[in-house]
Amino acid sequence: MANPASAPTATHTVRGACPHDCPDTCALDVTVSEGRVLKVAGAADHPPTAGVLCTKVAFYPERIYHPERLLHPARRIGAKGPGARFERISWDEALATIADRFRRIAAADGAEAIVPYSYAGNSGMLGYASMDRRFFHRLGASQLDRTICASAGAMGYRATIGASVGFDAENVVDARLIILWGTNSVVSNLHFWRLAQEAKRRGARLIAIDPCRTTTADKCDQHIALLPGTDSALALGLMHVLIRDDLLDHDYLARYTLGFEALKQRVLEYPPQRVAAICGISTQEIENLAHAYGSTRPAAIRTNYGINRSAGGGMALRSVACLPALTGAWRDAAGGVLLSSSGNYPVDTAALERPDLMPTPAPRTVNMSTIGHELLRAQPPIKALFVYNSNPLAVAPQSAEVERGLARNDLFTVVHDLFQTDTADYADLLLPATSHMEQLDIHKSYGHLHLQVNLPAIVPLAEALPNTELFRRLARQMGFSEACFADSDEDLCRQAFDWSDPRLAGLSWERLKAEGHARLNLPLGEAPFAAGGFPTPSGKCEFFSEMLASAGLDPLPTFIEPHEWRQSPLAAQFPLALITPPARNFLNTSFANSPRFLAQEKSPALHIHPVDAAARGIANDNPLRIHNQRGEFRARAVVSDRIRPGVAMATSIWWRKLSPDGRNCNEVTSQALTEMGGGATFYDCLVEVERVV
């Protein structure tokens, strides 16, 4: 690989890959001149990207050269919190300070008092989990359970299907029915939407299931606006009708499923009338959807992780995942269900992360979704927090507790980021991070089946370092002598996958580096699971799951009420169910400090139905106070029938420091967890809304 420092000064193009937490994982063509990124375009020769980018990434140079980029290590001077001031220091001083504090904490309190906090701010294999995990494993720090997005749904889906696999998105153009369940594809899965649109042009019917009439729902043939947290009930109601009316593939059930008779008894408990009352929709909508699904081939369900953010989130994905096996939809290449494609990649996690470096017994595990609670109440106490690839003060639930925890004078906090985020205001040390265009990485996807390389387009700005080099240097500073801490980024790319796996037949790191991207060696146009059955213990789609039973969970699909159920006593005080999906121009808190996108979003907004608005004397653009027992935040009113009655929607996630009142929607979200996977329950939240006079 050519070093970008020695790259020609003439205008040239570098192969890249988008590292942000999005299923599309676009291949990029980065135009560079005289060491500066001029333009970013989607790679036309990459089938999933097909030359198209979302607006956020199309303007990526503005992010790289943002005037507030962190460029040098810095130490806080003065108090923690909003308005915190920092003074520049050298990397040597920063690394020495971290190593000294870590040694002293480990000696006094044990290394478990040190906690890493990271997620998918960079989703590359190296940037997400490689040298950093090696460092914290060797240190003996607490492990982090990374549950904030997908853990519940992934567990429920895995209990049914066996792995994070499903239909090949490239085949969906041949579907005759596409159900977009809990996914606003136009905003958060643009390239799947392009394929769905092609299917529609060929005659497919598109149905959106979402509490809000999203941009995606606008473009579908039908929209079903169920209540948040009721997706599993709807799936059970559909199963009831499919079984009652014999819209089944009996041969498929006999050969490829486990537990059908038990499932049949369970769904008797969910007739359409009961389900309609739970979901807040009509009985006829359930009947019609079930008949459309049971009588159309190929039929594809594209779902996403929004439906796993309530108390029964794992069961929601599990219940949806049962549907294709009832009708035999898996027989078709364009049929079945897709939550994530990430399980198709032969990742060598042990080689990348080296869990063998951990002490025995293994250190404790801290759940990232309850970091507010943990910072205030963990025993033994957390004495150091190392934040990278995340912004927990803005993104974690019940942020008032997170803020109180970060404000502790005895907590040593390090933040490695591109910008001085809300979390960074509470740091003792700020460390400058590279953008992905300044580093090497290798990528899988959770929305398609292509492997991609990200070559550094430019040298790192000023003193910015990638995660890999930061933790390589920290390991040296701590005196860790294991050979793995000397691995280069190219070494890590070679270690990231099992290149001998048949799915990578004919591929190598060298070929990928030269070509930029390549599809896994999986046949295009083949029905899912056609060759070897399901990757479950039984080899079948498991309606009855021994895995769940052994974990003390219901082995059959069921409906679990939200923690904050609209039929509970709490609803008398806080009657509106709040959901907080992404704003079109933000991706979690990434891009949320861009002047361009801030201007387009204007200010934090709360969407509320005209009936609910009228009952509260609320009109468009009124300033609102949204509150519950945990806290409050402010937003402007958007009165619209796009959101169903009884539900409010706050587009997210705003930086607190860029919000009118210094707060965001996570002031009111809960640290309560899902029934499986320990996941966050962001969409399980009752609030009241009032006009600010």
Side-chain angles (χ1 to χ4, degrees):
M1 181 189 68
N3 187 321
S6 61
T9 57
T11 301
H12 60 287
T13 301
V14 179
R15 288 287 205 183
C18 179
H20 289 280
D21 190 5
C22 167
D24 293 30
T25 317
C26 292
L28 308 177
D29 288 336
V30 184
T31 303
V32 179
S33 180
E34 297 184 350
R36 187 176 178 90
V37 175
L38 299 182
K39 179 184 175 184
V40 182
D45 64 343
H46 181 240
T49 304
V52 176
L53 289 183
C54 71
T55 306
K56 295 182 286 289
V57 178
F59 289 101
Y60 216 87
E62 294 179 5
R63 178 172 170 83
I64 297 172
Y65 302 113
H66 193 294
E68 295 175 3
R69 267 288 297 268
L70 294 177
L71 298 175
H72 308 282
R75 173 176 51 214
R76 181 174 47 80
I77 49 174
K80 295 183 178 183
R85 296 182 299 115
F86 292 83
E87 65 179 2
R88 179 177 172 178
I89 60 174
S90 68
W91 267 112
D92 287 345
E93 188 174 358
L95 295 170
T97 299
I98 296 168
D100 177 65
R101 289 296 293 270
F102 280 6
R103 288 192 190 100
R104 288 195 281 128
I105 289 169
D109 303 286
E112 284 185 327
I114 302 165
V115 175
Y117 195 99
S118 70
Y119 198 63
N122 185 325
S123 294
M125 300 299 294
L126 275 57
Y128 179 76
S130 61
M131 197 62 72
D132 57 312
R133 307 298 170 90
R134 296 180 182 187
F135 174 81
F136 287 113
H137 288 159
R138 173 64 176 81
L139 182 64
S142 288
Q143 299 180 79
L144 186 71
D145 198 2
R146 291 171 171 83
T147 61
I148 204 163
C149 178
S151 59
M155 184 173 176
Y157 192 90
R158 186 169 65 252
T160 311
I161 302 300
S164 292
V165 293
F167 66 76
D168 181 348
E170 292 183 64
N171 293 328
V172 82
V173 293
D174 294 322
R176 302 294 294 175
L177 174 68
I178 301 174
I179 300 175
L180 296 138
W181 197 321
T183 176
N184 185 5
S185 298
V186 173
V187 170
S188 57
N189 194 186
L190 179 63
H191 294 82
F192 181 85
W193 180 248
R194 177 178 59 83
L195 299 171
Q197 287 290 86
E198 175 58 28
K200 188 176 183 180
R201 284 190 286 271
R202 299 182 186 186
R205 183 181 178 199
L206 273 56
I207 300 174
I209 301 174
D210 199 296
C212 177
R213 194 172 76 247
T214 62
T215 309
T216 301
D218 273 341
K219 300 175 185 299
C220 289
D221 299 289
Q222 183 183 0
H223 171 221
I224 298 173
L226 79 177
L227 287 164
T230 65
D231 302 271
S232 57
L234 177 56
L236 288 159
L238 296 177
M239 289 188 243
H240 180 103
V241 176
L242 291 170
I243 294 171
R244 182 198 70 194
D245 295 351
D246 198 23
L247 299 169
L248 304 173
D249 185 328
H250 291 281
D251 176 67
Y252 197 90
L253 285 168
R255 296 172 62 189
Y256 300 113
T257 71
L258 178 71
F260 173 67
E261 288 303 320
L263 178 71
K264 184 176 179 179
Q265 293 303 308
R266 171 57 55 83
V267 304
L268 288 175
E269 303 170 22
Y270 292 93
Q273 295 82 357
R274 181 190 176 199
V275 170
I278 292 171
C279 298
I281 58 178
S282 71
T283 301
Q284 199 60 50
E285 285 176 297
I286 298 165
E287 296 276 1
N288 291 347
L289 179 60
H291 276 263
Y293 185 70
S295 60
T296 307
R297 295 273 299 270
I301 300 173
R302 178 61 166 120
T303 188
N304 214 325
Y305 290 106
I307 70 173
N308 88 160
R309 293 181 183 140
S310 61
M315 278 295 179
L317 264 305
R318 170 157 167 67
S319 301
V320 171
C322 288
L323 290 166
L326 289 171
T327 63
W330 288 119
R331 293 187 188 275
D332 302 313
V337 64
L338 177 63
L339 171 66
S340 169
S341 62
S342 62
N344 289 285
Y345 295 83
V347 177
D348 195 339
T349 303
L352 265 185
E353 301 183 14
R354 294 295 303 273
D356 58 295
L357 295 170
M358 279 193 290
T360 303
R364 69 176 173 186
T365 297
V366 171
N367 189 325
M368 73 183 306
S369 295
T370 56
I371 190 61
H373 174 91
E374 300 290 350
L375 287 171
L376 294 172
R377 301 176 187 89
Q379 292 298 327
I382 297 171
K383 291 298 183 70
L385 188 71
F386 200 117
V387 179
Y388 58 104
N389 288 353
S390 188
N391 181 11
L393 181 51
V395 304
Q398 204 168 345
S399 52
E401 286 221 329
V402 182
E403 183 175 31
R404 284 172 52 211
L406 290 172
R408 284 172 36 205
N409 288 326
D410 66 335
L411 179 71
F412 175 63
T413 302
V414 181
V415 173
H416 182 226
D417 209 310
L418 279 74
F419 301 101
Q420 187 174 329
T421 62
D422 293 327
T423 306
D425 286 341
Y426 290 82
D428 295 279
L429 291 178
L430 279 184
L431 307 178
T434 48
S435 72
H436 74 282
M437 294 188 184
E438 301 156 57
Q439 62 195 42
L440 177 68
D441 217 326
I442 187 170
H443 291 253
K444 61 184 178 72
S445 170
Y446 64 96
H448 58 70
L449 298 175
H450 293 250
L451 201 63
Q452 293 154 243
V453 69
N454 181 77
L455 299 176
I458 56 174
V459 296
L461 270 62
E463 294 187 271
L465 291 180
N467 293 344
T468 49
E469 181 59 19
L470 166 59
F471 289 104
R472 210 177 273 122
R473 293 187 187 186
L474 266 178
R476 287 198 298 268
Q477 190 76 36
M478 292 291 294
F480 297 165
S481 58
E482 289 81 359
C484 67
F485 291 109
D487 286 344
S488 68
D489 286 356
E490 287 227 21
D491 293 332
L492 293 171
C493 288
R494 291 189 179 92
Q495 295 163 13
F497 295 96
D498 177 4
W499 297 95
S500 67
D501 189 283
R503 289 168 290 184
L504 295 180
L507 276 175
S508 66
W509 163 243
E510 285 70 24
R511 177 187 159 190
L512 189 69
K513 187 172 61 170
E515 297 180 5
H517 52 80
R519 182 182 160 92
L520 294 175
N521 188 31
L522 294 170
L524 185 65
E526 183 175 283
F529 317 120
F534 290 81
T536 56
S538 66
K540 299 180 178 183
C541 176
E542 297 193 351
F543 299 138
F544 186 99
S545 169
E546 290 288 355
M547 181 189 86
L548 294 183
S550 65
L553 297 165
D554 196 323
L556 289 166
T558 191
F559 168 61
I560 297 173
E561 292 181 356
H563 293 300
E564 300 190 0
W565 185 218
R566 293 181 70 253
Q567 297 174 15
S568 70
L570 185 66
Q573 187 178 2
F574 304 112
L576 295 176
L578 178 70
I579 57 174
T580 53
R584 180 162 192 162
N585 293 292
F586 302 161
L587 203 167
N588 300 319
T589 62
S590 294
F591 305 99
N593 65 330
S594 159
R596 175 186 298 276
F597 300 135
L598 285 168
Q600 292 182 28
E601 294 295 332
K602 298 179 182 177
S603 63
L606 184 90
H607 298 248
I608 185 169
H609 191 272
V611 170
D612 294 321
R616 293 162 176 78
I618 293 169
N620 263 324
D621 291 324
N622 284 168
L624 302 179
R625 172 178 174 256
I626 303 96
H627 63 99
N628 61 15
Q629 70 276 31
R630 287 177 290 273
E632 65 177 66
F633 69 101
R634 304 296 175 95
R636 62 181 167 86
V638 177
V639 180
S640 170
D641 63 2
R642 300 180 71 83
I643 192 75
R644 59 157 296 145
V647 178
M649 180 185 73
T651 49
S652 67
I653 301 175
W654 283 77
W655 284 24
R656 290 158 54 96
K657 68 173 73 179
L658 299 179
S659 300
D661 63 336
R663 301 184 181 98
N664 70 16
C665 59
N666 281 321
E667 288 287 327
V668 299
T669 54
S670 168
Q671 293 181 86
L673 300 176
T674 54
E675 88 286 24
M676 63 178 81
T681 57
F682 291 111
Y683 298 176
D684 192 333
C685 177
L686 290 179
V687 299
E688 181 56 290
V689 177
E690 61 186 41
R691 180 180 176 180
V692 177
V693 180

